[in-house]
Amino acid sequence: MQEYIVRLDQVGMDDIDQVGGKNASLGEMITELSGVGVKVPGGFATTATAFRDFLKHNQLDQRISELLAQLDPEDVNALAITGNQVRQWILETPFPEALDKAIEQAFTEMGGDEDQAVAIRSSATAEDLPDASFAGQQETFLNIRGLANIKTAIHEVFASLYNDRAISYRVHHGFEHHDVALSAAIQRMVRSETGASGVMFTLDTESGFKHVVFITSAYGLGETVVQGAVNPDEFYVYKPTLRQGAPAILRRNLGTKAIKMVYGKEGNTASAVETVKVPVEQRLQFSINDDDVQKLAQIAMTIEQHYGRPMDIEWAKDGDDGELYIVQARPETVKSRDKTAVIERYLLKETGNVLLEGRSIGHRIGSGPVRIVENLSDMDKIQPGDVLVTDMTDPDWEPVMKRSSAIITNRGGRTCHAAIIARELGIPAIVGCGDATERLHDGQEVTVSCAEGDTGRAYEGHLDFEHQTNKVDSMPPLPLDIMMNVGNPDRAFDFQALPNAGVGLARLEFIINRMIGIHPKALIEFDQQEEGIKTTIARRIAGYESPIEFYVAKLVEGISTLAAAFYPKKVIVRMSDFKSNEYGHLIGGADYEAHEENPMLGFRGASRYISESFRQCFDLECRALKYVRDVMKLTNIEVMIPFVRTVGEARQVVELLAENGLVRGENGLRVIMMCEIPSNALLADQFLEYFDGFSIGSNDLTQLTLGLDRDSGVIAHLFDERNDAVRKLLEMAIQACRAQGKYVGICGQGPSDHPDLANWLMEQGIDSVSLNPDTVLETWFFLANEDNKSL
């Protein structure tokens, strides 16, 4: 029997040539990782020898080779006809008697219970190599029961080696068809139909950032997540602090999880599973809890450490025993191959009407005419450069996906097979849009942008965009630090790859606006809101314990993501600096904000924090920061206070921070003050008694020095941070900090817009210049050029 069948616990990674990558990996984990908490369901597998002997039956292999030799893989119609013919031949060919008996004997040794549910999984002998992704090309069957049904499912798995997508993939990646064999695993089912399941990667699939585990999860059997049929929950877990035993979940995104796959009534390939709707109350909850997320991340790290490379892992939670199981693990083959020395960026140069939004795949931009394709039979409609729009793509579409300039789907998550293939092909894709096939129409010109963070947007028309590629092996030395202004946590893993000394400005209001969108007082006083506002808020806070816990948790997620991305470099977080009109635009905000004629000069910054009306909200900001620093152990976070008008305000706000557990010097905490009002520079010595340094805000400093409204187009020509009066104040602030041995940096727009100003600041002895990410490389090289000195 050993020639045709092996138990999974009898194989390991040295047996890929006999049982394929996935089955070899299952055996490897059973034998090597069971003792360290990695649970893998047992079973048996057919061998490559069994598959090849089967194909020799009735000279089937010769017929297949002759037919494929005549195929033009670019002809999608011919590909479909040829693939169908090959698969039909395989299904019509009975197993050789020896293989048939070997399967029966292995099933008997497994228990031989006709009611035992098993999964039949495919594993190709050339798959899951570090330089090739065969993800999802062959079939998987779940909840198969009974020997006869198991044999039928194995037949189907064998035939799936000649799926259209698999044939096309092998041709385009230089694999000879006859060199690839198939192994079928017969594995005990995990009862995730009453639990949850999903996929996890030991790096960020979009940026390649290797210090996180990215986990997706949905209710029921895992094929809905793998196929992209459901929009799953998503989690990011930070590896370094997880190793320290600290809470390490950086991000949580609640998926819609509208459907789930469960056991069907029959255990055959036709009706073994069915898809049902998930009750609304369950959709509004996360499908797994924080303990599950952290345990999964630990398991993923254990697997990654064993294999020594980033991994793509399928997992399942058994609803009966509550245990977490690994059902597949393969090398991640897209982002782990990226050349990190090459920095590629896509930037929209104009904005337009947003037609729809969804989850972004990759960081690229593409444009072209829309082609709505409802099923595989219409694939020949896609012409090179079209934007493919469909309900749900899967790897069957790979032959035409590479023709597309972009892909948009109604359904799908960021770890579905289609997303993996889109990344591998370098095509921007927006998944989980909901109703893209209804909102767009054939021939409509659109621009698909995945370069703006987690949210992908389809814009009306052809928008101009820029593609930058920079090769950065090493940067020339400078006498100051180049930091970055980063407000969007969605881009943190991407931006950290740029040369930098940390984040000089992380705006808390960006996190509040983007990730929360609700006025903090409306959450604190949730019960007092009118019904319409309550309903809107309740929808937004779904999955979280309470309105206040939602606010704090989202602040924690945003802050910790920025801190983890750049750790151990400093990340200076500025407390919220919304103006009254900006706070008023948040959900529920109109009831809490007074109308001000000039909100830029009104109720903002330190004045807001120490006021009785806002203090509760400020306390929540402090609570989030303290949790990130003290509990999550991300002590690279520093606190910055904006718009401090008087020395009295400086004293009060520092005392208020201390009351909330953010004490200067405690656990290495530095508290920085924004120097952005002329009084800050004029009385720098007095302000510095309460702070560990200045971060100069050149925007406000310029407008308040020159008496300009920076939002006014009428006098915009007078706004220049290089004005002599502004430079005088900048010089005063820098010299005051240097005299006291305290930090001084600048985080305003000026150095990003004017490299000569950055050069002047460097000559004044400033410690750091914090730039917009898109100007880092250009400004860095400018400052390093001796010819630009003393400009």
Side-chain angles (χ1 to χ4, degrees):
M1 185 176 79
Q2 187 77 20
E3 185 181 10
Y4 285 164
I5 298 288
V6 289
R7 291 200 317 270
L8 290 177
D9 62 6
Q10 294 175 319
V11 297
M13 293 310 292
D14 292 335
D15 300 300
I16 290 178
D17 62 334
Q18 273 302 302
V19 294
K22 283 200 284 285
N23 289 345
S25 182
L26 289 173
E28 180 83 8
M29 290 187 290
I30 289 172
T31 55
E32 300 294 330
L33 300 180
S34 293
V36 287
V38 179
K39 298 179 184 294
V40 180
F44 63 91
T46 63
T47 65
T49 301
F51 179 77
R52 290 193 171 103
D53 283 0
F54 165 68
L55 288 189
K56 289 176 185 175
H57 212 42
N58 299 332
Q59 297 183 320
L60 186 56
D61 53 349
Q62 292 182 24
R63 285 188 285 157
I64 292 173
S65 294
E66 290 170 3
L67 190 60
L68 292 178
Q70 304 168 24
L71 174 66
D72 174 7
E74 298 299 331
D75 184 338
V76 293
N77 291 320
L79 178 62
I81 293 170
T82 300
N84 184 65
Q85 177 63 75
V86 172
R87 293 191 297 274
Q88 195 61 40
W89 285 343
I90 292 174
L91 294 174
E92 291 170 352
T93 301
F95 291 141
E97 185 177 355
L99 174 57
D100 201 65
K101 288 184 176 179
I103 294 171
E104 291 180 10
Q105 183 180 339
F107 180 64
T108 300
E109 292 178 0
M110 191 178 179
D113 184 354
E114 289 288 310
D115 291 325
Q116 167 73 58
V118 297
I120 315 292
R121 304 182 188 279
S122 61
S123 180
T125 56
E127 76 177 343
D128 298 333
L129 304 176
D131 60 348
S133 171
F134 283 67
Q137 290 184 8
Q138 282 77 55
E139 297 294 343
T140 294
F141 296 96
L142 305 178
N143 187 36
I144 300 300
R145 284 172 279 144
L147 182 59
N149 289 330
I150 288 173
K151 289 180 181 179
T152 300
I154 295 172
H155 243 119
E156 295 274 5
V157 165
F158 281 6
S160 71
L161 185 64
Y162 295 95
N163 279 334
D164 301 351
R165 61 191 182 241
I167 295 171
S168 174
Y169 189 92
R170 289 195 293 272
V171 170
H172 286 103
H173 288 80
F175 290 91
E176 293 291 341
H177 297 295
H178 58 77
D179 287 343
V180 183
L182 204 64
S183 166
I186 294 80
Q187 189 181 24
R188 181 182 69 80
M189 279 290 295
V190 177
R191 196 72 191 268
S192 59
E193 70 147 355
T194 57
S197 55
V199 180
M200 55 185 175
F201 290 80
T202 60
L203 47 61
D204 175 38
T205 55
E206 303 309 308
S207 66
F209 184 60
K210 295 183 178 180
H211 298 297
V212 291
V213 178
F214 175 49
I215 300 170
T216 62
S217 172
Y219 297 115
L221 305 177
E223 284 301 290
T224 54
V225 177
V226 172
Q227 294 169 358
V230 67
N231 299 332
D233 299 328
E234 297 178 350
F235 308 89
Y236 287 95
V237 184
Y238 189 50
K239 296 176 187 175
T241 48
L242 184 64
R243 292 189 189 101
Q244 300 174 40
I249 301 175
L250 301 178
R251 301 286 296 275
R252 302 170 185 83
N253 290 313
L254 187 71
T256 53
K257 308 180 298 294
I259 58 172
K260 67 176 179 178
M261 185 178 285
V262 297
Y263 287 179
K265 294 179 181 179
E266 303 294 333
N268 56 46
T269 57
S271 55
V273 295
E274 60 181 340
T275 300
V276 298
K277 290 183 179 180
V278 174
V280 174
E281 59 272 18
Q282 288 185 13
R283 298 182 201 181
L284 298 177
Q285 300 171 6
F286 286 106
S287 49
I288 52 176
N289 59 37
D290 284 2
D291 286 343
D292 290 332
V293 173
Q294 298 224 141
K295 286 177 185 174
L296 282 168
Q298 287 170 336
I299 292 168
M301 288 165 57
T302 299
I303 294 171
E304 179 182 50
Q305 182 178 10
H306 178 75
Y307 285 99
R309 61 171 66 99
M311 298 295 288
D312 168 357
I313 302 162
E314 293 181 30
W315 63 270
K317 180 178 181 179
D318 194 305
D320 292 348
D321 63 21
E323 296 288 344
L324 297 166
Y325 294 88
I326 301 304
V327 295
Q328 285 189 22
R330 62 181 75 86
E332 195 279 339
T333 57
V334 180
K335 281 298 176 182
S336 56
R337 289 187 292 167
D338 275 0
K339 295 179 177 62
T340 54
V342 176
I343 297 171
E344 182 181 60
R345 297 197 64 210
Y346 282 76
L347 300 167
L348 275 177
K349 298 180 73 174
E350 56 182 320
T351 58
N353 178 35
V354 177
L355 300 173
L356 52 83
E357 295 182 343
R359 304 293 283 159
S360 64
I361 305 299
H363 292 300
R364 300 187 176 190
I365 299 173
S367 63
V370 166
R371 283 290 171 266
I372 296 176
V373 179
E374 295 184 359
N375 54 58
L376 281 173
S377 62
D378 295 328
M379 284 200 302
D380 57 352
K381 289 172 58 177
I382 297 292
Q383 300 301 313
D386 285 351
V387 174
L388 170 61
V389 180
T390 188
D391 179 55
M392 181 184 77
T393 60
D394 64 42
D396 278 325
W397 299 63
E398 189 268 343
V400 295
M401 287 168 72
K402 60 179 176 289
R403 297 184 187 177
S404 308
S405 61
I407 298 166
I408 301 174
T409 70
N410 293 339
R411 296 189 284 162
R414 286 172 52 191
T415 58
C416 66
H417 284 127
I420 294 171
I421 299 301
R423 289 189 196 98
E424 184 171 316
L425 295 173
I427 299 169
I430 307 177
V431 299
C433 296
D435 56 357
T437 52
E438 297 174 16
R439 297 175 65 177
L440 301 177
H441 57 81
D442 257 356
Q444 181 179 13
E445 193 79 20
V446 298
T447 298
V448 175
S449 172
C450 294
E452 301 165 72
D454 283 351
T455 301
R457 296 180 176 88
Y459 292 93
E460 185 175 16
H462 177 83
L463 301 184
D464 192 19
F465 63 89
E466 183 178 353
H467 177 206
Q468 301 176 350
T469 302
N470 298 97
K471 194 174 191 305
V472 183
D473 294 319
S474 62
M475 300 298 289
L478 293 173
L480 81 171
D481 287 334
I482 299 293
M483 304 178 81
M484 285 193 290
N485 299 333
V486 181
N488 184 355
D490 292 353
R491 301 301 307 275
F493 298 151
D494 196 29
F495 289 149
Q496 62 79 32
L498 288 165
N500 70 86
V503 176
L505 173 62
R507 300 176 177 90
L508 209 60
E509 63 269 13
F510 200 108
I511 296 171
I512 294 169
N513 190 53
R514 188 177 185 87
M515 299 176 65
I516 297 172
I518 307 166
H519 195 289
K521 287 295 282 286
L523 291 167
I524 292 170
E525 299 177 357
F526 175 73
D527 291 337
Q528 300 173 32
Q529 305 304 308
E530 58 99 3
E531 286 306 313
I533 296 291
K534 269 189 179 181
T535 301
T536 301
I537 292 176
R539 192 180 303 119
R540 286 228 176 185
I541 68 173
Y544 291 83
E545 188 178 323
S546 69
I548 291 176
E549 290 306 315
F550 165 78
Y551 189 77
V552 174
K554 283 300 178 187
L555 288 177
V556 166
E557 289 173 23
I559 296 166
S560 65
T561 298
L562 290 166
F566 291 88
Y567 192 87
K569 300 170 187 173
K570 298 295 185 185
V571 175
I572 302 174
V573 176
R574 187 179 73 184
M575 308 301 274
S576 64
D577 193 27
F578 275 135
K579 290 75 177 174
S580 56
N581 60 323
E582 295 167 336
Y583 261 122
H585 290 149
L586 298 176
I587 294 169
D591 293 336
Y592 295 102
E593 298 295 328
H595 172 74
E596 294 182 293
E597 291 297 334
N598 193 342
M600 187 76 75
L601 300 180
F603 191 40
R604 60 179 289 200
S607 300
R608 190 177 273 270
Y609 308 154
I610 62 179
S611 70
E612 287 299 322
S613 64
F614 193 79
R615 185 169 296 187
Q616 281 179 291
C617 307
F618 184 70
D619 290 349
L620 297 182
E621 295 181 24
C622 293
R623 181 174 149 192
L625 278 160
K626 180 173 172 57
Y627 184 86
V628 173
R629 283 182 49 82
D630 296 349
V631 181
M632 297 183 75
K633 303 186 184 300
L634 293 167
T635 52
N636 59 324
I637 288 289
E638 299 188 337
V639 174
M640 183 153 67
I641 303 298
F643 224 75
V644 185
R645 290 181 168 95
T646 68
V647 175
E649 281 191 343
R651 174 183 54 78
Q652 286 179 272
V653 78
V654 169
E655 290 174 352
L656 189 55
L657 285 171
E659 288 175 21
N660 281 284
L662 295 171
V663 181
R664 279 179 66 198
E666 196 170 278
N667 203 12
L669 176 64
R670 288 199 312 181
V671 180
I672 309 297
M673 189 189 93
M674 283 281 283
C675 177
E676 53 191 336
I677 304 172
S679 61
N680 300 154
L682 294 168
L683 301 179
D685 289 339
Q686 295 180 49
F687 279 104
L688 286 170
E689 289 180 29
Y690 298 99
F691 294 96
D692 297 297
F694 283 165
S695 182
I696 299 168
S698 59
N699 296 348
D700 272 335
L701 187 62
T702 300
Q703 79 164 346
L704 295 174
T705 301
L706 301 180
L708 294 168
D709 178 356
R710 73 188 200 205
D711 293 332
S712 171
V714 178
I715 51 174
H717 63 286
L718 296 174
F719 190 95
D720 192 335
E721 296 93 331
R722 296 166 295 181
N723 180 277
D724 287 344
V726 179
R727 287 199 192 208
K728 182 66 175 176
L729 292 171
L730 291 171
E731 185 178 1
M732 291 173 67
I734 292 169
Q735 296 310 316
C737 289
R738 287 176 60 81
Q740 295 193 32
K742 294 191 174 185
Y743 166 80
V744 59
I746 187 167
C747 60
Q749 185 71 22
S752 294
D753 290 344
H754 308 294
D756 58 321
L757 177 62
N759 194 72
W760 180 83
L761 290 164
M762 179 173 68
E763 293 174 346
Q764 300 306 306
I766 201 165
D767 293 325
S768 74
V769 174
S770 193
L771 304 166
N772 296 337
D774 59 346
T775 66
V776 165
L777 297 178
E778 180 183 351
T779 305
W780 193 312
F781 287 121
F782 179 89
L783 294 177
N785 189 339
E786 289 294 328
D787 294 338
N788 295 324
K789 297 292 186 287
S790 301
L791 287 178

